Amino acid sequence: MNKDTNVVEIRHGVNSTTTFDVERIRADFPILDQSVYGKPLVYFDNGASAQKPRQVIDAMNDIMETNYSNVHRGVHALSQRSTEAYEAVRGKVARFFNAASENEIVFCRGGTEAINVVAYAYGRKFLSAGDEIVISHMEHHSNIVPWQMLRDEIGIVLRVAPIDDDGNFLLDDYEKLLSDKTKLVAMTHVSNALGTIVPIAEVIRLAHDHGARALVDGCQAVQHGAVDMQALDVDFYVFSSHKLYGPTGIGVLYGKEELLNSMPPFMGGGDMITSVSFEKTEFQQAPLRFEAGTPSIVEAIGMGAALDYLDAIGVDNISAHEEGILHYATERLSQVEGLKIIGQASDKAAIISFIMDGVHAHDIGTIIDRAGVAVRVGHHCAQPVMERFGIAATARASFGLYNTPTEVDTLVEALGAVREFFG
Ligand code: PLP
């Protein structure tokens, strides 16, 4: 990594090298070119929501300026063009994540809604009292609360797979929780609070060995590396577009086609039916049966543009770049006096949670904001894992494809000011 130019050389193998030109990528993100409190913005809050490249913004503007109309309904030209553009994104998502069919791609409002669709539509039809769902100790609240609501309603049992003191997922302990009572494993792919990468292929395989279905929460995974639905053989996989450099208001529930078609709709309304009379309503097959009402048309098109953007750069190149940033930042942050990294798993995505002796995480966030550095502070919607480490909150730097080693230096300098302030 050449820290002075922010140009990172990525070695793919003996004969192939790509130059990942961060400055060129940064030029695609208009929002990054600004000062905060007179200091160049350093945006390390990508885990909460990533910034959008010009290509996404343009695609959304373009559809509204040229082809916008409601989808699936009109015979007129604009509606047909709009429908074509919207449905093309479904195909794009299917190809990007190697789904077997675009019918397996359900558009939702985001990751949270996607998990709730499964909890309602799959959970209420296929699960009953005494059935067990296994989650991990690192789940985001959106992969805890829907299952608790289901537990309170129908009496399923929630089991929690443990982690060790470094935040490693304990595969053997997870396996011990599986039995013929296990009907679903609902597991994060990457922990938003610790950065731990869960060995999800093994998790899914073991769930299947016990006759259970597997849902994977990929909200913190898809932006950091390639994910292949067919290779994983996963039953459900969810993610949101806004962490993937696309807009808010759109996300994806991937589900195996047969499984989706065995589930009842989650919401009733227009677009999800084939016929309605006062006596009887027939539902569409998946994915439309789960997309009642006017969908997020412009946002879907923005998400498609984000996937095109990532495809052009190469997801593997992004992974390699972020790995470099993660290693550099881990090394530099480890040298800051009184700083402790929470979550040092052997396999991590580009997320670093940390605390500082005698300093509240909110004070860290507020002070470094004055140096232009944006990080997330708090429990990160993952209170159980904070409790596991005996803390209320951390500061979290989560890195994206446009972050640079120089920005890491700015963070480290700003933390020096925090140290000085608190003595
Ligand atoms: N799961 C994880 C691991 C997350 O990090 C988040 C958001 O932070 C979500 C689920 C929820 O995603 P959304 O807020 O986009 O619905």
Side-chain angles (χ1 to χ4, degrees), residues 47-48 110-113 115 140 142 188 190 192 217 219-220 240 242-243:
T112 302
E113 186 175 286
I115 295 170
H140 187 279
S142 15
T188 195
V190 170
N192 71 315
D217 174 357
C219 286
Q220 295 291 342
S240 40
H242 70 97
K243 298 178 197 287

Side-chain angles (χ1 to χ4, degrees), residues 40-323:
L41 168 67
V42 172
Y43 189 77
F44 284 160
D45 196 17
N46 298 288
S49 204
Q51 300 300 347
K52 323 302 171 200
R54 167 71 62 207
Q55 289 81 343
V56 167
I57 299 164
D58 286 349
M60 294 174 77
N61 280 334
D62 184 61
I63 184 89
M64 286 189 286
E65 286 177 2
T66 57
N67 291 326
Y68 177 78
S69 178
N70 209 332
V71 291
H72 301 146
R73 296 175 190 181
V75 292
H76 60 80
L78 287 190
S79 180
Q80 291 194 4
R81 283 190 231 148
S82 199
T83 303
E84 220 166 87
Y86 175 80
E87 285 300 330
V89 177
R90 212 185 292 280
K92 220 172 259 184
V93 174
R95 283 190 297 281
F96 197 89
F97 294 100
N98 196 29
S101 156
E102 58 188 60
N103 293 336
E104 300 183 321
I105 307 301
V106 178
F107 292 143
C108 297
R109 203 162 53 80
T112 302
E113 186 175 286
I115 295 170
N116 276 275
V117 170
V118 178
Y120 277 85
Y122 178 81
R124 279 157 182 77
K125 172 153 183 198
F126 290 106
L127 303 184
S128 50
D131 287 346
E132 295 184 0
I133 298 183
V134 179
I135 60 174
S136 83
H137 213 134
M138 297 179 283
E139 299 308 320
H140 187 279
H141 295 164
S142 15
N143 199 29
I144 301 174
V145 182
W147 310 118
Q148 287 176 327
M149 290 162 71
L150 191 63
R151 177 190 64 192
D152 297 346
E153 196 181 315
I154 65 173
I156 53 127
V157 177
L158 264 187
R159 299 241 174 258
V160 181
I163 54 173
D164 69 14
D165 291 343
D166 285 328
N168 288 297
F169 180 78
L170 300 170
L171 197 62
D172 290 347
D173 294 76
Y174 156 71
E175 190 176 0
K176 285 184 199 138
L177 293 177
L178 300 172
S179 72
D180 58 2
K181 290 192 195 143
T182 316
K183 292 294 179 293
L184 180 71
V185 169
M187 196 74 69
T188 195
H189 193 162
V190 170
S191 157
N192 71 315
L194 307 178
T196 305
I197 300 176
V198 175
I200 215 69
E202 281 295 281
V203 165
I204 296 163
R205 190 183 60 72
L206 289 168
H208 288 168
D209 285 352
H210 288 81
R213 296 283 187 187
L215 174 147
V216 174
D217 174 357
C219 286
Q220 295 291 342
V222 288
Q223 60 276 49
H224 297 302
V227 178
D228 182 322
M229 298 302 157
Q230 293 186 78
L232 284 177
D233 190 29
V234 67
D235 300 295
F236 301 108
Y237 193 100
V238 311
F239 61 88
S240 40
S241 137
H242 70 97
K243 298 178 197 287
L244 191 62
Y245 309 100
T248 51
I250 182 97
V252 168
L253 164 63
Y254 160 85
K256 284 181 179 163
E257 189 168 1
E258 210 182 287
L259 188 55
L260 288 176
N261 282 324
S262 72
M263 290 157 50
F266 166 55
M267 285 200 300
D271 239 23
M272 49 77 74
I273 52 82
T274 51
S275 72
V276 177
S277 71
F278 286 121
E279 289 72 39
K280 186 170 164 44
T281 289
E282 303 279 352
F283 303 127
Q284 293 265 23
Q285 293 289 89
L288 291 186
R289 71 164 52 192
F290 299 106
E291 294 181 13
T294 299
S296 299
I297 302 163
V298 177
E299 289 76 7
I301 284 152
M303 176 168 71
L307 293 182
D308 286 341
Y309 183 76
L310 298 179
D311 217 12
I313 295 170
V315 177
D316 289 343
N317 294 332
I318 295 168
S319 293
H321 168 71
E322 290 181 354
E323 211 178 307

Side-chain angles (χ1 to χ4, degrees), residues 140-141 192-193 353 376-383 386 393-396:
H140 187 279
H141 295 164
N192 71 315
S353 251
R376 186 78 159 179
V377 295
H379 54 57
H380 316 294
C381 296
Q383 278 184 309
M386 294 288 117
T394 70
R396 180 189 71 185

